[in-house]
């Protein structure tokens, strides 16, 4: 189940977003929310383990940097936990009483975390949703793989969708499939970036400037993805449509098959999922 489009009846511009941790994913979410107009920059407050890098990022984005978790939770209507999984328990211990008293909407963005674990750390009265976002959320083209089971109220779920549906595809999956869905959506941007880099290297090899090769590769990837989503055409059919009998593309496809292209992608996922 996925959510597309804004929940326009919910005004998100008065909501304060708190970020505990502000690494690559935390800052990507903030960038997306600000650029979309969903949340004013000064309605985002963040803390992190190292204040100076946080302050520099905050100044660039126009958000507020603070030094303590307490300052964040006292202001946040929606709290994004953007810390590493191994510190979740310690962070939850610090925020537990406050988020329950205020009925704060808590968004976990850690891979491998699910609602039962969060409730064990925050208590049964906490309002929690577990997601695995990816970095294209920074430019409004992200994915938020979201556990279908949550402890949000109907109003909070509406707020969550209103905040994020304009910057990401919200794909709700059952708990058993949260890991693989998060891996496909969250890890694969690295593989796509490697593919784009390889295409650009080939372009440069045959005379294109690096800038031109990158523009062509990135637009090709974006356009192909959008074409599939908007038409629902199977990727196999899209591939076949480009492969004329005896043509150039099918020769490239054959070379990729000989090199184990598909198998390499599946192996990469297996390396993460452990199968």
């Amino acid at each position: 189940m996925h959510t597309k489009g804004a929940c326009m009846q919910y005004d998100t511009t008065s909501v304060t977003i708190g970020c505990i941790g502000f690494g690559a994913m935390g800052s990507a979410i903030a960038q997306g929310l600000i650029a979309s107009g969903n949340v004013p920059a000064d309605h985002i407050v963040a803390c992190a383990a190292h204040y100076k890098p946080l302050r520099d990022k905050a100044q660039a984005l126009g958000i507020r940097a603070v030094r303590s978790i307490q300052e964040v939770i006292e202001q946040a209507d929606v709290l994004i936990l953007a810390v590493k999984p191994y510190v979740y328990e310690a962070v939850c211990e610090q925020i537990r009483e406050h988020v329950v008293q205020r009925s704060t909407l808590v968004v976990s963005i850690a891979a491998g975390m699910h609602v039962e674990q969060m409730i064990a750390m925050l208590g049964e009265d906490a309002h929690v949703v577990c997601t695995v976002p990816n970095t294209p959320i920074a430019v409004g083209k992200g994915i938020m793989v979201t556990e279908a089971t949550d402890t949000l109220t109907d109003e909070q779920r509406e707020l969550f969708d209103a905040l994020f549906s304009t910057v990401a595809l919200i794909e709700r999956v059952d708990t058993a499939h949260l890991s693989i869905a998060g891996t496909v959506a969250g890890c694969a941007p690295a593989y796509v970036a490697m593919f784009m880099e390889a295409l650009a290297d080939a372009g440069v090899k045959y005379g294109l400037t690096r800038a031109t090769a990158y523009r062509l590769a990135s637009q090709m990837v974006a356009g192909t993805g959008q074409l599939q989503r908007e038409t629902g055409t199977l990727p196999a059919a899209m591939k076949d449509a480009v492969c004329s009998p005896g043509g150039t593309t099918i020769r490239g496809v054959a070379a990729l098959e000989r090199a184990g292209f598909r198998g390499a992608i599946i192996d990469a996922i297996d390396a993460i999922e452990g199968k």
Side-chain angles (χ1 to χ4, degrees), residues 111-146:
M113 199 65 65
H114 54 78
V115 70
E116 286 187 3
Q117 294 169 296
M118 292 299 301
I119 291 303
M121 291 185 284
L122 288 175
E124 293 183 357
D125 294 328
H127 300 287
V128 180
V129 59
C130 292
T131 75
V132 184
N134 67 3
T135 51
I137 198 171
V139 293
K141 299 295 183 181
I143 299 172
M144 292 193 81
V145 173
T146 304

Side-chain angles (χ1 to χ4, degrees), residues 59-82:
Q59 289 176 346
L61 291 172
I63 72 167
R64 292 178 285 150
V66 296
R67 293 183 179 273
S68 71
I69 288 176
Q70 188 66 26
E71 291 176 273
V72 173
I73 61 177
E74 287 176 352
Q75 300 176 61
D77 302 304
V78 177
L79 187 63
I80 298 173
L81 298 186

